[in-house]
Amino acid sequence: MTSKTVFITQEGPANALALNKDNSQVVIAGRNVFKIFALLEDRFEEVCNLRVGKNLNLNFSCNDVAWNLTDDHILATAATNGAVVVWNLNRPSRSKQEHVFVDHKRTVNKVSFHMTEPMWLISGSQDGTMKCFDLRTKEATKTFYSNTESVRDVQFSPHQQHTFAAVSENGHVQQWDLRRPDRYFQHFTAHSGPIFACDWHPEATWLATASRDKTIKVWDLTAKPSCDYTIHTIASVGRIKWRPQRKYHIASCALVVDCSINVWDIRRPYIPFASFNEHKDVPTGVAWRGDPQSFLSTSRDCNLYHHVFKDATRPASKANPQGIALNAKGDIAYACKVNVNAPTSSVRKQLIYPRKMPTSNDTFYMAFSMMHRFTVTTPQEPKWFKACAEGYLLSGKLNEICDHNAVVASKAGRNDISTVWSITKTLYTDSLGNILTTPPTVSKEDAVNTLNLSQMAIGPNAEQTNTGHENDVKSLQGEAPGVISGGDDETETDETPENHHFIGPIPSGYRRSFSGSKRQPKGDFFFGEGELEPMTMEYTNAYMHNIINNDNDWTLPKEAFPLRHEIQDRSPPPEQFPNHSPDINDDTGAITVEDQPCQLIVTAIPKPVFWDPTHLIEEALRHHAAIRDIQTSVSILIALGDRRKILNIEMATQEHWLLEYIDMLGRFQLWEVATQIIQLAWMPSVSQLNQQSTTIHACCSTCTKPLQRSAWLCDRCHTSRHALCSICHQVVRGIYVWCQGCTHGGHVTHISEWFNSNRQCPTGCGHLCEYT
Amino acid sequence: MFEAHSINAEHKDLIHDIAYDFYGQRMATCSSDQFVKVWDEDEHGNWHLTASWKVHSGSVWKVTWAHPEFGQVLATCSFDRTAAVWEEIVGEGSGPGERGMRHWVRRTNLVDSRTSVTDVKFAPKTLGLLLATCSADGVIRIYEAPDVMNLSQWTLQHDISCKLPCSCLTWNPSLSRLHPPMLAVGSDDSNTSNGGKVFIYEYSENSRRWTKTETLSNVVDPVHDIAFAPNLGRSFHTLAIATKDVRIITLKPVQDSAQSGLSRFEITTAKFEDHYCTVWRVCWNIMGTILASSGDDGCVRLWKDNYINNWKCVAVLKGDGTSAQSTETPLTTTPPNHPTGVQQPLSTTRNVTIATVTAEKPTAPIMSTSKWQAPVTKGRFSKSVWLGNPAEPSPLPPPILDRPKSKK
């Protein structure tokens, strides 16, 4: 039984257990159980049931049991009725009861044999006394009065023959000399609550005490008692036992709550070194089997367990040794366990960790953490987020907003976002504003993009975004990761034909719109690289003409404009566009434009490419939300004003975006921006955010009593003087305005009329009031 | 890119958790020494210890801040089987020095657990003042303070048993009404045969119950930490998991099971073994763009994704503060033809991929070409990892995309 955790269940709970001197047998004793078991290799075997006889009186009901350390056949029990009973296993009769001492007046808590003198037995009782019995004379030779209400534990010192320690319910520890029963020779207060147990260290001059105050304290008693270690446990401690051959280890079990038996390293008093969780109820006794690897325990769950150390759980190994946190600025706080053993080869050490337990045992108590803060020297994200949040215009004319915001974004280093704003501008301000009245003219570049559109419109959504992404990635490859990719796109964007010689905003509007969804690089790729498969283009007749006649000039001839009615009539509704395109392709011929680096197959179609940016914007917004750039999505959404109504984005999603953005602004403490957004919000759930739990308290100006029922009548002075208008001298019952300088005020209309022509306060107080 | 500053926390035992408050201007640390310490940042960016007190009678595993609209509130959980809620109050006493003094008071002690409480987290503020705890015996408890002004009254709303010992939990931070309240819980059970160690729970408004809607069956090793990324308006959820490696999992709600009222997810897993040892913590930045992970190698690795959700390690910070590395300063150079059998502690490129799809039809892993990334060959080690269910037939190798290199 040295290597296995085994248990045996009894009919009743045992209060205590004791091992014989060679640790081969164990006795367990309780109110209804009193048995001896032999410890076999893989099980317990009952050797003797001591609870036999005709008269099973209270003498059989045990609080504690002790096995003589020299004579293997002598046992002693502390009975609940105040008796101390001695048992002789060598008695020939069935009953092994040898002698009953009935000296104590109340229940006996503890019995203990002397280490070297087999005839000496000491007891501690609830009556506040300790008695020393001589088994030869069968009488209580000495009585020690503790002057406390009850003695919970007594233990002979292993170091000094005549010394024993006693602990009591009032938190005191006493040291007595057996030869001087009149008075203890040492006395101190160890705990703030009752002490339930004590245990002498087998080698050091330490006495450990366990208390209801949830602590275990280790006292050095060589000179003046000093508390060397304190262990904070999670519950009242009922029993403690030093672990043999391990100087700093002590086992403890709780009196309540905690069913586990913990073994502590007193140098690391916060977390058990090992924990045994087999019991289902609180353990009542612990006894080491002489070696540090195994011990026995009894519990209120009626089980007797044999525990082996290798089956213990190690709470510290499950404990998370690291902490990490990131804040809004991007700072990282990091705490990690310092590797005491091998600070240089940490990786290697970790690999051998599970196998090499001794290493962890040796360093167990040396656990401590280091904490570091890593600050970002050049914070990127928070900076542009703040700059954009504060700089963005959100209401007004869309094109102004877009222009302004594009500048803000590019100043913040967000060139890609800046482009998005410009695109938005051209998409909406021009397309919706002008396009309906001008022909949907397209330059060649636009044609390329038109193609993209058609592809996009036809293909399933997911695929489309993927291709978009791939292009992004392509352009990104070779860049250091972590750099915001948009920057790259932007530089290319600037080279694109938009800057060349367009006639009007319309074509560029088109061009940009496409790249808007594609995030620019697509167009660039198709163009600059010429490595993509042939492209099909949908084109108006007029434009075909244009291109063919006027290869090198991509500007639109003015003559194109008169065509608009015709074109407009034929322009299909945007939604139908995807459906139409196959037909369109069918009846049109393909033309290859030779002078392009890429092979362009231009299909001439009779229908104009009038097209609605809605779903493109929608895509863009969703895309930015997906890449966690909620700022852009929300800002554009707000800037769009009523145009957002035609976007096919569910209200719930829009609300979601707004809430997330507001939350993010909160983190950066950009309250003003957040408030602005709340005010601009078009859904009640968001716009009412600021109206919740906002109360203004007002007081009467004469008696300073808070105005409770109404703002214009004071409950104490029963007047409305404080609410009179300075001009008409009537009580103001609606909105009251006042100057914070002189506190005078009145009806909004009256005051504003007055200040149209005057600067001083209407009351004549001489104050130059300032209203904003 | 990063500057390391050492902070002498003076905790007497291991520090188990660090938490920044909502604004990132306060920091709380907790330790086995049963203390929590609160640090405040001054206007010069220096951090000062402003409070330190004993919070439990056992190791304090986690500390977390409530949303500031509920006040300055902390929650802690401990080996002593309790979780506690603390509030900082400004003294109103008349004695000298008392007025204006701040101190922390315990508002409640949640004692329902019978084993160590391993994690505690406040719900997103839209759900009210809600607190979730999980414990070593596998019970998740959700408490609510019905009156947000009274932090001493908490009622146990739900008690969810998840069979395996729980080690960590995280709320889905989404503020959208489209997403039902969601929790992910990780277990540190070390028996890999017990199946998935990460569970997703969702609250159904109709049945008013929390139900397990998903078990991530490809995470079978003990899970030490778990964190949902800030949502920021996305329709899908991103979950980081610290187990023997770092995993980043995206959960895309699939609406085909609308009738049952429970959404199932399309799950994509990415796995990174750069730590080459147990990973203890994962943490997102507030934008959800950077993931920090830390492991037994004593390093913090920062991960960032590009536009196709391909995550890469962008920086390695050493925990001892001796060196802070980032990709700007190149990591260890590796010979191009490095034998693959040898593990390298540092690698920059790590590729990712796909995985099983809905729980309903787990048989055919969906392969979408775009998700297999052709390894980026820059003279560094790279490989693709398949993360499907081991029981399934192994998938086809990644298609070789005939993709010409861009001009750069």
Side-chain angles (χ1 to χ4, degrees):
Chain A
M1 201 191 261
T2 48
S3 57
K4 261 167 69 179
T5 297
V6 285
F7 74 98
I8 186 165
T9 307
Q10 296 304 305
E11 57 274 18
N15 288 329
L17 79 170
L19 283 155
N20 66 345
K21 70 176 176 192
D22 59 3
N23 299 315
S24 61
Q25 295 193 338
V26 62
V27 56
I28 59 167
R31 281 176 182 269
N32 303 310
V33 59
F34 191 15
K35 281 181 186 171
I36 295 174
F37 294 95
L39 305 172
L40 302 185
E41 191 48 46
D42 56 347
R43 64 195 164 90
F44 292 100
E45 187 181 81
E46 189 176 319
V47 173
C48 178
N49 188 354
L50 294 158
R51 202 177 157 77
V52 288
K54 279 169 270 171
N55 187 17
L56 285 176
N57 57 18
L58 280 175
N59 289 344
F60 287 88
S61 166
C62 308
N63 270 337
D64 192 27
V65 61
W67 203 312
N68 195 298
L69 299 165
T70 317
D71 296 332
D72 217 12
H73 57 279
I74 302 292
L75 292 173
T77 57
T80 51
N81 64 353
V84 172
V85 187
V86 178
W87 310 76
N88 185 349
L89 299 179
N90 289 346
R91 276 175 72 100
S93 68
R94 242 176 107 229
S95 169
K96 307 291 183 191
Q97 199 164 326
E98 175 109 333
H99 187 78
V100 179
F101 297 98
V102 284
D103 298 86
H104 283 295
K105 295 185 195 69
R106 295 185 61 189
T107 187
V108 181
N109 289 320
K110 198 77 191 175
V111 283
S112 181
F113 280 105
H114 193 271
M115 304 279 169
T116 52
E117 300 295 331
M119 291 306 131
W120 291 356
L121 174 69
I122 198 162
S123 66
S125 160
Q126 201 69 21
D127 62 12
T129 64
M130 291 143 282
K131 287 181 190 289
C132 186
F133 303 96
D134 189 321
L135 301 187
R136 292 164 297 192
T137 59
K138 301 215 185 328
E139 62 179 26
T141 50
K142 289 177 182 113
T143 301
F144 307 86
Y145 294 92
S146 71
N147 285 327
T148 63
E149 277 184 12
S150 77
V151 176
R152 294 305 291 247
D153 201 354
V154 281
Q155 296 282 340
F156 280 108
S157 162
H159 314 298
Q160 287 154 313
Q161 207 188 3
H162 295 287
T163 304
F164 70 90
V167 295
S168 53
E169 280 188 6
N170 61 1
H172 290 190
V173 175
Q174 296 173 343
Q175 272 205 90
W176 293 80
D177 188 318
L178 268 181
R179 297 158 297 189
R180 292 196 54 196
D182 54 321
R183 195 177 156 74
Y184 44 78
F185 70 88
Q186 194 176 53
H187 168 96
F188 60 93
T189 305
H191 291 271
S192 55
I195 305 178
F196 295 130
C198 64
D199 196 34
W200 287 96
H201 194 279
E203 292 128 36
T205 54
W206 284 336
L207 179 74
T209 55
S211 163
R212 193 166 74 186
D213 66 9
K214 301 183 184 178
T215 59
I216 297 166
K217 289 184 179 173
V218 178
W219 303 89
D220 186 348
L221 299 178
T222 42
K224 193 165 170 276
S226 62
C227 180
D228 284 8
Y229 299 96
T230 304
I231 298 169
H232 297 268
T233 71
I234 67 171
S236 309
V237 190
R239 295 275 190 273
I240 43 173
K241 276 282 179 273
W242 289 98
R243 186 180 178 197
Q245 299 159 40
R246 294 287 185 275
K247 188 179 178 189
Y248 297 101
H249 289 187
I250 189 166
S252 79
C253 50
L255 205 63
V256 287
V257 182
D258 190 359
C259 306
S260 52
I261 296 163
N262 295 317
V263 176
W264 305 83
D265 184 317
I266 55 173
R267 295 165 298 182
R268 191 175 174 190
Y270 307 108
I271 187 163
F273 172 73
S275 193
F276 299 84
N277 305 313
E278 285 86 0
H279 284 297
K280 299 282 173 288
D281 202 340
V282 290
T284 52
V286 174
W288 290 93
R289 282 193 70 193
D291 73 289
Q293 304 307 330
S294 62
F295 69 92
L296 293 125
S297 71
T298 52
S299 156
R300 256 195 249 155
D301 64 4
C302 306
N303 290 333
L304 167 65
Y305 258 97
H306 176 261
H307 303 273
V308 290
F309 230 80
K310 68 175 170 52
D311 291 343
T313 57
R314 305 295 181 104
S317 72
K318 284 227 165 188
N320 181 351
Q322 303 187 333
I324 187 167
L326 271 72
N327 74 358
K329 283 188 293 185
D331 293 354
I332 300 165
Y334 176 53
C336 70
K337 182 180 176 179
V338 176
N339 207 324
V340 183
N341 258 8
T344 44
S345 57
S346 57
V347 178
R348 196 150 34 87
K349 196 244 160 184
Q350 290 305 332
L351 292 174
I352 57 170
Y353 183 81
R355 271 170 280 143
K356 227 177 137 191
M357 244 7 191
T359 321
S360 80
N361 290 357
D362 297 342
T363 59
F364 174 79
Y365 72 96
M366 290 190 276
F368 69 100
S369 289
M370 263 183 329
M371 191 157 112
H372 280 95
R373 195 162 51 87
F374 297 99
T375 50
V376 188
T377 46
T378 48
Q380 299 270 328
E381 278 188 344
K383 219 164 137 193
W384 60 249
F385 182 89
K386 266 188 141 159
C388 292
E390 287 173 332
Y392 279 170
L393 261 179
L394 294 171
S395 53
K397 279 191 174 171
L398 185 56
N399 52 352
E400 284 163 18
I401 297 176
C402 290
D403 284 341
H404 179 262
N405 293 355
V407 172
V408 169
S410 90
K411 268 188 191 157
R414 300 274 286 160
N415 292 327
D416 52 338
I417 302 302
S418 168
T419 316
V420 172
W421 280 108
S422 323
I423 292 161
T424 311
K425 173 190 167 193
T426 39
L427 269 180
Y428 275 100
T429 51
D430 301 324
S431 61
L432 285 190
N434 308 339
I435 214 160
L436 297 174
T437 55
T438 48
T441 50
V442 193
S443 74
K444 183 150 183 269
E445 286 79 8
D446 304 325
V448 178
N449 290 302
T450 315
L451 153 80
N452 299 347
L453 170 69
S454 70
Q455 280 182 342
M456 179 165 69
I458 295 161
N461 261 0
E463 217 171 57
Q464 172 223 331
T465 29
N466 280 337
T467 41
H469 283 158
E470 275 158 26
N471 284 318
D472 273 340
V473 170
K474 259 194 185 171
S475 75
L476 276 175
Q477 282 177 356
E479 280 186 46
V483 172
I484 290 153
S485 57
D488 190 44
D489 301 341
E490 171 59 17
T491 52
E492 291 180 29
T493 309
D494 291 340
E495 302 157 6
T496 50
E498 168 209 355
N499 295 344
H500 299 175
H501 35 286
F502 276 93
I503 261 187
I506 308 127
S508 80
Y510 263 113
R511 207 202 62 73
R512 301 194 128 223
S513 63
F514 295 113
S515 22
S517 85
K518 290 293 163 189
R519 307 185 39 73
Q520 299 294 96
K522 185 143 204 164
D524 296 338
F525 275 115
F526 285 13
F527 242 68
E529 311 280 314
E531 55 197 4
L532 292 177
E533 64 280 346
M535 297 180 268
T536 333
M537 272 191 194
E538 287 139 340
Y539 232 55
T540 61
N541 277 332
Y543 280 102
M544 285 317 304
H545 238 65
N546 242 336
I547 288 164
I548 292 157
N549 297 341
N550 214 352
D551 266 344
N552 296 324
D553 183 5
W554 305 116
T555 57
L556 294 172
K558 295 282 183 197
E559 302 87 77
F561 289 87
L563 289 172
R564 75 176 173 220
H565 291 298
E566 193 186 329
I567 291 162
Q568 219 176 2
D569 289 342
R570 279 185 285 162
S571 76
E575 312 82 50
Q576 293 169 7
F577 184 69
N579 304 335
H580 279 228
S581 37
D583 307 336
I584 290 163
N585 288 340
D586 283 346
D587 53 23
T588 52
I591 296 170
T592 307
V593 183
E594 309 274 16
D595 65 329
Q596 282 301 308
C598 64
Q599 194 189 11
L600 293 177
I601 298 166
V602 181
T603 55
I605 51 161
K607 304 190 176 177
V609 201
F610 170 65
W611 154 93
D612 180 2
T614 308
H615 77 275
L616 204 50
I617 276 291
E618 201 182 298
E619 280 303 328
L621 295 184
R622 288 189 195 276
H623 172 72
H624 280 276
I627 61 166
R628 289 151 295 199
D629 184 9
I630 192 68
Q631 183 173 49
T632 308
S633 296
V634 171
S635 305
I636 294 178
L637 201 58
I638 292 173
L640 288 181
D642 286 340
R643 294 176 193 86
R644 73 175 84 88
K645 284 178 185 160
I646 50 170
L647 292 177
N648 184 24
I649 296 174
E650 318 83 71
M651 249 347 190
T653 306
Q654 295 187 18
E655 180 195 342
H656 181 196
W657 291 353
L658 285 178
L659 290 174
E660 294 279 357
Y661 186 45
I662 291 166
D663 188 62
M664 184 61 72
L665 290 169
R667 283 191 186 268
F668 286 98
Q669 305 189 324
L670 300 166
W671 314 117
E672 287 166 22
V673 186
T675 307
Q676 194 190 354
I677 290 184
I678 290 169
Q679 280 168 350
L680 290 170
W682 50 95
M683 56 202 77
S685 56
V686 178
S687 59
Q688 285 169 5
L689 279 179
N690 273 358
Q691 292 160 26
Q692 291 159 4
S693 59
T694 302
T695 318
I696 295 170
H697 296 281
C699 294
C700 170
S701 60
T702 45
C703 67
T704 70
K705 184 180 165 61
L707 298 169
Q708 280 161 344
R709 280 190 299 145
S710 68
W712 48 271
L713 180 67
C714 175
D715 287 338
R716 188 183 292 166
C717 15
H718 302 289
T719 64
S720 298
R721 202 181 309 149
H722 65 275
L724 295 182
C725 174
S726 307
I727 294 173
C728 66
H729 298 285
Q730 298 298 309
V731 174
V732 184
R733 301 195 181 184
I735 298 172
Y736 189 93
V737 292
W738 77 100
C739 166
Q740 295 193 338
C742 64
T743 73
H744 298 119
H747 291 104
V748 186
T749 45
H750 293 163
I751 298 290
S752 65
E753 265 170 39
W754 175 266
F755 283 102
N756 276 339
S757 48
N758 300 283
R759 291 192 61 220
Q760 289 198 348
C761 180
T763 55
C765 71
H767 187 253
L768 294 170
C769 298
E770 286 183 45
Y771 288 90
T772 49
Chain B
M1 189 176 169
F2 282 96
E3 257 173 40
H5 309 263
S6 177
I7 296 179
N8 186 3
E10 288 185 332
H11 274 293
K12 296 190 193 77
D13 205 310
L14 293 184
I15 295 171
H16 296 299
D17 198 16
I18 303 178
Y20 278 113
D21 75 339
F22 184 76
Y23 306 116
Q25 294 172 334
R26 310 193 83 185
M27 182 170 73
T29 55
C30 68
S31 157
S32 260
D33 67 7
Q34 309 174 356
F35 272 66
V36 159
K37 298 188 182 208
V38 173
W39 310 74
D40 286 337
E41 187 181 23
D42 65 16
E43 57 274 22
H44 309 296
N46 299 317
W47 289 83
H48 302 283
L49 180 68
T50 51
S52 172
W53 72 103
K54 186 173 186 252
V55 287
H56 284 283
S57 52
S59 298
V60 188
W61 299 139
K62 299 279 167 66
V63 60
T64 187
W65 294 85
H67 192 277
E69 82 179 26
F70 302 113
Q72 293 297 311
V73 179
L74 279 175
T76 55
C77 66
S78 162
F79 183 70
D80 73 3
R81 302 157 181 217
T82 65
V85 175
W86 304 85
E87 187 180 17
E88 188 180 41
I89 53 169
V90 179
E92 284 172 4
S94 50
E98 265 183 65
R99 195 168 180 82
M101 283 291 285
R102 291 159 172 275
H103 62 281
W104 291 83
V105 291
R106 193 202 316 260
R107 287 305 188 197
T108 192
N109 208 18
L110 306 168
V111 296
D112 301 278
S113 176
R114 301 191 61 187
T115 54
S116 174
V117 182
T118 50
D119 205 350
V120 61
K121 290 280 183 302
F122 284 103
K125 70 167 201 282
T126 41
L127 301 178
L129 193 46
L130 242 60
L131 190 63
T133 66
C134 67
S135 56
D137 57 358
V139 181
I140 303 155
R141 292 184 175 84
I142 293 167
Y143 297 90
E144 183 174 16
D147 174 8
V148 296
M149 300 305 289
N150 179 6
L151 292 167
S152 39
Q153 258 203 5
W154 291 81
T155 51
L156 178 59
Q157 296 273 335
H158 301 279
D159 195 311
I160 314 152
S161 176
C162 93
K163 310 289 190 294
L164 293 176
C166 300
S167 57
C168 47
L169 70 87
T170 176
W171 286 90
N172 184 343
S174 172
L175 301 174
S176 170
R177 0 185 207 112
L178 295 173
H179 303 142
M182 188 194 293
L183 271 174
V185 182
S187 167
D188 60 353
D189 181 48
S190 50
N191 186 352
T192 52
S193 62
N194 282 346
K197 295 296 186 303
V198 174
F199 311 101
I200 310 284
Y201 288 87
E202 280 183 280
Y203 182 69
S204 157
E205 209 63 64
N206 298 330
S207 62
R208 299 191 177 184
R209 281 166 56 98
W210 284 87
T211 343
K212 190 190 286 179
T213 50
E214 198 68 63
T215 300
L216 302 182
S217 55
N218 56 359
V219 184
V220 293
D221 296 292
V223 170
H224 303 292
D225 198 11
I226 193 167
F228 268 114
N231 180 278
L232 296 186
R234 283 176 297 177
S235 56
F236 57 92
H237 316 293
T238 310
L239 185 63
I241 296 171
T243 167
K244 67 178 199 301
D245 42 34
V246 179
R247 310 248 174 137
I248 298 172
I249 288 176
T250 52
L251 301 162
K252 286 195 175 129
V254 174
Q255 289 304 327
D256 62 346
S257 54
Q259 71 278 10
S260 69
L262 296 174
S263 57
R264 301 250 173 199
F265 307 99
E266 185 186 312
I267 299 168
T268 314
T269 306
K271 155 169 147 178
F272 309 94
E273 291 169 323
D274 296 31
H275 283 285
Y276 288 109
C277 57
T278 304
V279 180
W280 285 105
R281 301 306 298 261
V282 282
C283 180
W284 293 94
N285 71 342
I286 57 160
M287 303 272 213
T289 48
I290 296 173
L291 175 70
S293 67
S294 74
D296 268 338
D297 58 354
C299 292
V300 178
R301 284 167 201 276
L302 301 184
W303 307 87
K304 208 165 164 40
D305 69 339
N306 58 15
Y307 289 109
I308 51 160
N309 292 325
N310 195 353
W311 292 84
K312 282 179 185 171
C313 180
V314 295
V316 180
L317 309 172
K318 283 207 175 151
D320 54 12
T322 51
S323 73
Q325 252 179 339
S326 68
T327 44
E328 272 88 337
T329 59
L331 306 175
T332 49
T333 47
T334 309
N337 299 322
H338 200 282
T340 50
V342 179
Q343 294 195 325
Q344 287 168 238
L346 299 166
S347 77
T348 47
T349 316
R350 188 79 5 166
N351 287 312
V352 186
T353 60
I354 341 186
T356 56
V357 199
T358 31
E360 305 239 309
K361 26 181 174 160
T363 46
I366 287 179
M367 285 220 325
S368 113
T369 52
S370 64
K371 288 190 180 166
W372 277 107
Q373 270 315 108
V376 180
T377 41
K378 280 189 282 183
R380 290 190 187 150
F381 177 74
S382 77
K383 70 173 184 186
S384 298
V385 185
W386 174 257
L387 281 172
N389 184 337
E392 293 164 12
S394 57
L396 297 169
I400 294 154
L401 297 179
D402 195 6
R403 188 187 296 148
K405 285 207 75 128
S406 63
K407 69 181 165 192
K408 281 206 263 175

